[in-house]
Amino acid sequence: MTETESNTYDVVVIGAGPVGENIADRTRAAGLTTAVVESELLGGECSYWACMPSKALLRPVIAQADARRLPGLAEAARGPLDTPAVLARRDEYTSHWQDDGQADWLAGTGADLYRGHGRLAGPRTVTVTGPDGTLTTLTARHAVAVATGTRAQLPDLPGLADVRPWTSREATSAKAAPGRLIVVGGGVVATEMATAWQALGSRVTLLVRGKGLLNRMEPFAGELVAEALTEAGADIRTGTSVESVRRENGTVVAVTSAGDRIEADEILFATGRAPRTDDLGLESVGLEPGSWLDTDDSLRVTGTDWLYAVGDVNHRALLTHQGKYQARIAGAAIAARAAGDTLLEEPWGAHAATADHHAVPQVVFTDPEAAAVGLSLAEAEQAGHRVRAVDVEFSSVAGAGLYGDGYRGRARMVVDLEDEILRGVTFVGPGVGELIHSATIAITGRVPVGRLWHAVPSYPTLSEVWLRLLEAYRDN
Ligand SMILES: Cc1cc2nc3c(=O)[nH]c(=O)nc-3n(C[C@H](O)[C@H](O)[C@H](O)COP(=O)(O)OP(=O)(O)OC[C@H]3O[C@@H](n4cnc5c(N)ncnc54)[C@H](O)[C@@H]3O)c2cc1C
């Protein structure tokens, strides 16, 4: 086809997940013409098969667990969840896997949407193969931003495809609870989905290759979550991997490294993510197809002056909020470079995604919740910081008692002994997800421990855990 002027834009964004949408929003706000290419649904993995449906499944599970800890309410919350109603609400949350609302929003920004598969075809050039096979060529005056995200990574097990295993997509969009569900993995997706489906009616067996759950967090996070999952009825087997899997008359049969034969109705592999860069034309610009894309702090791909990689695809922090943060930074950096302005990078400039290095918050929506920001004790020590960890139990916090009799939880802060600032904070317990931003601010602002005494938490809230942490640091 012949290229027309209307196919030339200041910026071309490939992928309209939360990250691609936010880049386009920022570049349009800066007055740059912007094309957005999307091969599936605007809103990406997060809106339809990840954050939104998983949290919609988990919210009633956690609310019920909270209710069961409260005398006076526990009796009323004793029955099983109404699974069809929970799934119906999940469907509402995913807009029934329709993206009209997001398409309207994107149109409102003034960006042009191209539906189809985007591929690089040399510097500043993107070809789009539309649903009907038509080919459109887009040229970028200033920048191409890749925001194509990730897909589930499956292990290399013979015959796995014939088993039709669940990935995170099926686990978040299933129309009914399987009677028996094997979950393979011990990370965030595995523990959240095990929590959800166990409460929604499945008998869950969790097969974890490592020693415990959530091994990127402080060890007590995985321990407390495993304890609660076991009490909820899940069968957790650590130090166990799947050796072989097949379907016999519709039933999944998995044989583990321990020699156990486990039967189930479905098997979910939550065994990591792979970048969606294998069919992206990376070879046309001298990059390796299928690789994660390395960037500098302005999110520009190493060795180029026009290509950006933003969100999951750069492997800096596979979280929606962090990807959207990067999108704001990348959008601002693209606009500044287009205008010939100097970038603002240090120390907290608008054009450098510095938080990715030292203050990435994450909440795991299990019961109890696990929330962490910054470095764990082991990570801080490994990075060469001279640190001390301070631990307290939430049982010493008056506000925790209000949550009910059985509140179990723990907090840790990792203090850098050189500057007396925080390197990392972890909270585990019901409701702690809402606490973590206080720690993010303390770390990002490099607030000295002495100054934290003057940030007075309200009585009687869970936030008083800060006082207990400061006291424990002072007294030990
Ligand atoms: C089960 C699960 C639960 C999660 N829960 C949370 C949570 O609670 N909180 C949180 O912060 N994070 C969560 N995450 C992580 C979160 O989903 C990702 O960090 C986020 O979706 C990344 O956004 P993105 O825009 O980079 O990529 P994606 O959301 O993956 O979007 C990429 C988009 O690019 C499109 N695309 C890909 N290739 C092409 C191409 N060649 N041409 C055109 N379009 C293309 C895709 O169709 C997709 O729409 C969860 C992940 C999973 C799997």
Side-chain angles (χ1 to χ4, degrees), residues 14-19 37-41 44-46 50-51 54-55 116-118 147-150 168 189 273 276 280 311-312 318-321:
I14 312 179
V19 174
V37 186
E38 173 54 51
S39 58
E40 292 183 80
L41 295 174
E45 212 67 17
C46 180
C51 327
S54 64
K55 266 76 256 181
H117 187 100
T148 51
T150 59
S168 46
V189 174
R273 312 289 302 172
R276 288 179 66 169
L280 193 60
D312 272 17
L318 278 68
L319 291 161
T320 293
H321 46 273

CSV table of all heavy atoms in Angstrom, one decimal, residues 14-19 37-41 44-46 50-51 54-55 116-118 147-150 168 189 273 276 280 311-312 318-321, ligand 1:
chain,number,residue,atom,x,y,z
A,14,ILE,N,2.6,0.7,20.5
A,14,ILE,CA,2.1,-0.7,20.2
A,14,ILE,C,1.7,-1.3,21.5
A,14,ILE,O,2.5,-1.5,22.4
A,14,ILE,CB,3.2,-1.5,19.5
A,14,ILE,CG1,3.9,-0.8,18.4
A,14,ILE,CG2,2.6,-2.9,19.1
A,14,ILE,CD1,5.0,-1.6,17.7
A,15,GLY,N,0.4,-1.7,21.6
A,15,GLY,CA,-0.1,-2.3,22.8
A,15,GLY,C,-0.9,-1.3,23.6
A,15,GLY,O,-0.4,-0.2,24.0
A,16,ALA,N,-2.2,-1.5,23.8
A,16,ALA,CA,-3.1,-0.6,24.6
A,16,ALA,C,-3.6,-1.2,25.9
A,16,ALA,O,-4.8,-1.2,26.2
A,16,ALA,CB,-4.2,-0.1,23.7
A,17,GLY,N,-2.6,-1.8,26.6
A,17,GLY,CA,-3.0,-2.2,28.0
A,17,GLY,C,-2.9,-0.9,28.8
A,17,GLY,O,-2.9,0.2,28.3
A,18,PRO,N,-3.0,-1.0,30.2
A,18,PRO,CA,-3.0,0.2,31.0
A,18,PRO,C,-1.8,1.1,30.7
A,18,PRO,O,-1.9,2.3,30.8
A,18,PRO,CB,-2.8,-0.4,32.4
A,18,PRO,CG,-2.4,-1.8,32.3
A,18,PRO,CD,-2.9,-2.3,31.0
A,19,VAL,N,-0.7,0.5,30.3
A,19,VAL,CA,0.6,1.2,30.1
A,19,VAL,C,0.5,2.0,28.7
A,19,VAL,O,0.7,3.2,28.7
A,19,VAL,CB,1.8,0.3,30.1
A,19,VAL,CG1,3.1,1.0,29.8
A,19,VAL,CG2,1.9,-0.3,31.5
A,37,VAL,N,-1.8,1.0,18.6
A,37,VAL,CA,-2.1,-0.2,17.9
A,37,VAL,C,-2.5,-1.3,18.9
A,37,VAL,O,-1.7,-1.5,19.9
A,37,VAL,CB,-0.9,-0.7,17.1
A,37,VAL,CG1,-1.2,-2.0,16.2
A,37,VAL,CG2,-0.3,0.4,16.2
A,38,GLU,N,-3.6,-2.0,18.7
A,38,GLU,CA,-4.0,-3.0,19.7
A,38,GLU,C,-4.5,-4.2,19.0
A,38,GLU,O,-5.4,-4.1,18.1
A,38,GLU,CB,-5.0,-2.4,20.7
A,38,GLU,CG,-5.7,-3.5,21.6
A,38,GLU,CD,-4.6,-4.3,22.4
A,38,GLU,OE1,-3.8,-3.7,23.1
A,38,GLU,OE2,-4.7,-5.5,22.4
A,39,SER,N,-4.0,-5.4,19.4
A,39,SER,CA,-4.4,-6.6,18.7
A,39,SER,C,-5.6,-7.3,19.3
A,39,SER,O,-6.2,-8.2,18.7
A,39,SER,CB,-3.2,-7.6,18.6
A,39,SER,OG,-2.7,-7.9,19.8
A,40,GLU,N,-5.8,-7.1,20.6
A,40,GLU,CA,-7.0,-7.7,21.3
A,40,GLU,C,-7.9,-6.7,21.9
A,40,GLU,O,-8.6,-6.0,21.1
A,40,GLU,CB,-6.4,-8.7,22.4
A,40,GLU,CG,-5.7,-9.9,21.8
A,40,GLU,CD,-5.2,-10.8,22.9
A,40,GLU,OE1,-6.1,-11.6,23.4
A,40,GLU,OE2,-4.1,-10.7,23.3
A,41,LEU,N,-7.9,-6.5,23.2
A,41,LEU,CA,-8.8,-5.6,23.8
A,41,LEU,C,-8.1,-4.4,24.4
A,41,LEU,O,-7.1,-4.6,25.2
A,41,LEU,CB,-9.6,-6.3,24.9
A,41,LEU,CG,-10.6,-7.4,24.5
A,41,LEU,CD1,-11.2,-8.1,25.7
A,41,LEU,CD2,-11.7,-6.9,23.6
A,44,GLY,N,-6.0,-4.2,28.0
A,44,GLY,CA,-4.9,-5.2,28.1
A,44,GLY,C,-5.2,-6.3,29.1
A,44,GLY,O,-6.4,-6.5,29.6
A,45,GLU,N,-4.2,-7.0,29.5
A,45,GLU,CA,-4.3,-8.1,30.4
A,45,GLU,C,-4.9,-7.7,31.7
A,45,GLU,O,-5.8,-8.4,32.3
A,45,GLU,CB,-2.8,-8.7,30.7
A,45,GLU,CG,-2.7,-10.1,30.9
A,45,GLU,CD,-3.1,-11.0,29.7
A,45,GLU,OE1,-3.1,-10.5,28.6
A,45,GLU,OE2,-3.4,-12.2,29.9
A,46,CYS,N,-4.5,-6.6,32.2
A,46,CYS,CA,-4.9,-6.1,33.5
A,46,CYS,C,-6.5,-6.0,33.6
A,46,CYS,O,-7.0,-6.5,34.6
A,46,CYS,CB,-4.3,-4.7,33.8
A,46,CYS,SG,-4.7,-4.0,35.3
A,50,ALA,N,-6.4,-10.3,34.5
A,50,ALA,CA,-5.4,-10.2,35.5
A,50,ALA,C,-5.9,-9.4,36.7
A,50,ALA,O,-6.8,-9.9,37.5
A,50,ALA,CB,-4.1,-9.5,35.0
A,51,CYS,N,-5.5,-8.1,36.9
A,51,CYS,CA,-5.8,-7.4,38.1
A,51,CYS,C,-7.3,-7.3,38.4
A,51,CYS,O,-7.8,-7.7,39.5
A,51,CYS,CB,-5.4,-5.9,38.0
A,51,CYS,SG,-3.9,-5.6,37.1
A,54,SER,N,-9.2,-10.8,38.9
A,54,SER,CA,-8.7,-11.5,40.1
A,54,SER,C,-9.1,-10.8,41.4
A,54,SER,O,-9.5,-11.5,42.4
A,54,SER,CB,-7.2,-11.7,40.0
A,54,SER,OG,-6.5,-10.5,40.1
A,55,LYS,N,-9.1,-9.5,41.4
A,55,LYS,CA,-9.5,-8.8,42.6
A,55,LYS,C,-11.0,-8.9,42.8
A,55,LYS,O,-11.5,-8.9,44.0
A,55,LYS,CB,-9.0,-7.3,42.6
A,55,LYS,CG,-7.7,-7.1,43.2
A,55,LYS,CD,-6.5,-7.6,42.5
A,55,LYS,CE,-5.8,-8.9,42.9
A,55,LYS,NZ,-4.6,-9.2,42.1
A,116,GLY,N,-5.3,-4.3,15.3
A,116,GLY,CA,-4.5,-5.3,14.5
A,116,GLY,C,-3.2,-5.5,15.2
A,116,GLY,O,-2.9,-5.0,16.3
A,117,HIS,N,-2.4,-6.4,14.6
A,117,HIS,CA,-1.1,-6.8,15.2
A,117,HIS,C,0.0,-5.9,14.7
A,117,HIS,O,0.1,-5.7,13.5
A,117,HIS,CB,-0.8,-8.3,14.8
A,117,HIS,CG,0.4,-8.8,15.5
A,117,HIS,ND1,0.3,-9.6,16.6
A,117,HIS,CD2,1.7,-8.6,15.3
A,117,HIS,CE1,1.5,-10.0,17.0
A,117,HIS,NE2,2.4,-9.4,16.2
A,118,GLY,N,0.7,-5.2,15.6
A,118,GLY,CA,1.7,-4.3,15.2
A,118,GLY,C,3.1,-5.0,15.2
A,118,GLY,O,3.4,-5.8,16.0
A,147,ALA,N,4.5,-1.4,24.3
A,147,ALA,CA,3.9,-1.7,25.6
A,147,ALA,C,3.1,-2.9,25.4
A,147,ALA,O,1.9,-2.9,25.7
A,147,ALA,CB,3.0,-0.5,26.0
A,148,THR,N,3.7,-4.0,25.0
A,148,THR,CA,3.0,-5.2,24.6
A,148,THR,C,2.8,-6.2,25.7
A,148,THR,O,2.2,-7.3,25.5
A,148,THR,CB,3.7,-5.9,23.4
A,148,THR,OG1,5.1,-6.0,23.7
A,148,THR,CG2,3.6,-5.0,22.1
A,149,GLY,N,3.4,-5.9,26.9
A,149,GLY,CA,3.1,-6.8,28.1
A,149,GLY,C,3.7,-8.1,28.0
A,149,GLY,O,4.8,-8.4,27.3
A,150,THR,N,3.1,-9.0,28.7
A,150,THR,CA,3.6,-10.4,28.8
A,150,THR,C,2.4,-11.4,28.6
A,150,THR,O,1.3,-11.1,28.6
A,150,THR,CB,4.1,-10.7,30.3
A,150,THR,OG1,3.1,-10.5,31.2
A,150,THR,CG2,5.3,-9.8,30.6
A,168,SER,N,-3.2,-17.9,33.7
A,168,SER,CA,-3.9,-16.9,34.5
A,168,SER,C,-5.2,-16.4,33.7
A,168,SER,O,-6.1,-16.0,34.3
A,168,SER,CB,-3.0,-15.7,34.7
A,168,SER,OG,-2.3,-15.4,33.5
A,189,VAL,N,0.4,-14.9,41.6
A,189,VAL,CA,-0.7,-15.4,40.9
A,189,VAL,C,-1.2,-16.7,41.5
A,189,VAL,O,-2.4,-17.0,41.7
A,189,VAL,CB,-0.4,-15.5,39.4
A,189,VAL,CG1,-1.6,-16.2,38.6
A,189,VAL,CG2,-0.1,-14.2,38.8
A,273,ARG,N,6.1,-15.4,33.6
A,273,ARG,CA,5.6,-14.6,32.5
A,273,ARG,C,6.7,-14.5,31.4
A,273,ARG,O,7.9,-14.5,31.8
A,273,ARG,CB,5.2,-13.2,32.9
A,273,ARG,CG,4.3,-13.1,34.1
A,273,ARG,CD,2.9,-13.5,34.0
A,273,ARG,NE,2.2,-12.8,32.9
A,273,ARG,CZ,1.0,-13.2,32.5
A,273,ARG,NH1,0.4,-14.3,33.1
A,273,ARG,NH2,0.3,-12.6,31.5
A,276,ARG,N,5.9,-10.4,25.4
A,276,ARG,CA,5.2,-10.5,24.1
A,276,ARG,C,6.0,-9.7,23.1
A,276,ARG,O,5.6,-8.7,22.6
A,276,ARG,CB,3.8,-10.0,24.2
A,276,ARG,CG,2.9,-11.0,25.0
A,276,ARG,CD,1.5,-10.6,25.1
A,276,ARG,NE,0.8,-10.6,23.9
A,276,ARG,CZ,-0.5,-10.4,23.7
A,276,ARG,NH1,-1.3,-10.3,24.8
A,276,ARG,NH2,-1.1,-10.4,22.6
A,280,LEU,N,7.2,-9.3,16.9
A,280,LEU,CA,7.2,-7.9,17.0
A,280,LEU,C,8.1,-7.2,16.0
A,280,LEU,O,8.2,-6.0,16.0
A,280,LEU,CB,7.5,-7.4,18.5
A,280,LEU,CG,7.2,-6.0,18.9
A,280,LEU,CD1,5.7,-5.7,18.8
A,280,LEU,CD2,7.6,-5.8,20.4
A,311,GLY,N,6.4,-0.6,30.7
A,311,GLY,CA,5.5,-1.6,31.4
A,311,GLY,C,6.1,-3.0,31.5
A,311,GLY,O,7.4,-3.1,31.4
A,312,ASP,N,5.3,-4.0,31.6
A,312,ASP,CA,5.8,-5.4,31.8
A,312,ASP,C,6.9,-5.8,30.8
A,312,ASP,O,7.8,-6.5,31.2
A,312,ASP,CB,4.6,-6.4,31.6
A,312,ASP,CG,3.8,-6.6,32.8
A,312,ASP,OD1,3.9,-5.8,33.8
A,312,ASP,OD2,3.1,-7.6,32.9
A,318,LEU,N,6.8,-5.9,37.2
A,318,LEU,CA,5.6,-6.4,36.5
A,318,LEU,C,4.3,-6.1,37.3
A,318,LEU,O,3.7,-7.0,37.8
A,318,LEU,CB,5.8,-7.9,36.1
A,318,LEU,CG,6.6,-8.2,34.9
A,318,LEU,CD1,8.1,-7.9,35.1
A,318,LEU,CD2,6.4,-9.7,34.5
A,319,LEU,N,4.0,-4.8,37.3
A,319,LEU,CA,2.8,-4.4,38.1
A,319,LEU,C,2.2,-3.2,37.3
A,319,LEU,O,2.9,-2.4,36.8
A,319,LEU,CB,3.3,-3.9,39.5
A,319,LEU,CG,3.8,-5.0,40.4
A,319,LEU,CD1,4.6,-4.4,41.5
A,319,LEU,CD2,2.6,-5.8,41.0
A,320,THR,N,0.9,-3.2,37.4
A,320,THR,CA,0.1,-2.1,36.7
A,320,THR,C,0.5,-0.7,37.1
A,320,THR,O,0.8,0.1,36.3
A,320,THR,CB,-1.4,-2.3,36.8
A,320,THR,OG1,-1.7,-3.5,36.1
A,320,THR,CG2,-2.2,-1.2,36.2
A,321,HIS,N,0.5,-0.5,38.5
A,321,HIS,CA,0.8,0.8,38.9
A,321,HIS,C,2.2,1.3,38.5
A,321,HIS,O,2.5,2.4,38.2
A,321,HIS,CB,0.6,1.0,40.4
A,321,HIS,CG,1.2,-0.1,41.2
A,321,HIS,ND1,0.5,-1.3,41.5
A,321,HIS,CD2,2.4,-0.3,41.8
A,321,HIS,CE1,1.3,-2.1,42.2
A,321,HIS,NE2,2.5,-1.5,42.4
B,1,LIG,C1,-3.5,-13.0,37.4
B,1,LIG,C2,-2.8,-11.7,37.5
B,1,LIG,C3,-3.2,-10.7,38.4
B,1,LIG,C4,-2.5,-9.5,38.5
B,1,LIG,N1,-2.9,-8.6,39.5
B,1,LIG,C5,-2.3,-7.4,39.6
B,1,LIG,C6,-2.7,-6.5,40.6
B,1,LIG,O1,-3.5,-6.8,41.4
B,1,LIG,N2,-2.0,-5.3,40.6
B,1,LIG,C7,-1.0,-5.0,39.7
B,1,LIG,O2,-0.4,-3.9,39.8
B,1,LIG,N3,-0.6,-5.9,38.8
B,1,LIG,C8,-1.2,-7.1,38.7
B,1,LIG,N4,-0.9,-8.0,37.7
B,1,LIG,C9,0.2,-7.5,36.7
B,1,LIG,C10,-0.5,-6.7,35.6
B,1,LIG,O3,-1.5,-7.4,35.0
B,1,LIG,C11,0.5,-6.2,34.6
B,1,LIG,O4,1.6,-5.6,35.3
B,1,LIG,C12,-0.1,-5.2,33.6
B,1,LIG,O5,-1.1,-5.7,32.9
B,1,LIG,C13,1.0,-4.7,32.6
B,1,LIG,O6,0.4,-3.8,31.8
B,1,LIG,P1,1.0,-3.6,30.3
B,1,LIG,O7,0.2,-2.5,29.6
B,1,LIG,O8,2.5,-3.5,30.3
B,1,LIG,O9,0.7,-5.0,29.5
B,1,LIG,P2,-0.6,-5.7,29.2
B,1,LIG,O10,-1.7,-5.4,30.2
B,1,LIG,O11,-0.3,-7.2,29.0
B,1,LIG,O12,-1.1,-5.1,27.9
B,1,LIG,C14,-0.4,-5.3,26.7
B,1,LIG,C15,-1.3,-5.1,25.5
B,1,LIG,O13,-0.6,-5.1,24.3
B,1,LIG,C16,-1.3,-5.8,23.3
B,1,LIG,N5,-0.3,-6.4,22.3
B,1,LIG,C17,0.6,-7.3,22.6
B,1,LIG,N6,1.4,-7.5,21.4
B,1,LIG,C18,0.8,-6.7,20.5
B,1,LIG,C19,1.2,-6.4,19.1
B,1,LIG,N7,2.2,-7.0,18.5
B,1,LIG,N8,0.4,-5.5,18.4
B,1,LIG,C20,-0.7,-4.9,19.1
B,1,LIG,N9,-1.0,-5.1,20.3
B,1,LIG,C21,-0.3,-6.0,21.0
B,1,LIG,C22,-2.0,-6.9,24.1
B,1,LIG,O14,-3.1,-7.4,23.4
B,1,LIG,C23,-2.4,-6.1,25.4
B,1,LIG,O15,-3.7,-5.5,25.2
B,1,LIG,C24,-1.5,-9.2,37.6
B,1,LIG,C25,-1.1,-10.1,36.6
B,1,LIG,C26,-1.8,-11.4,36.6
B,1,LIG,C27,-1.3,-12.4,35.5
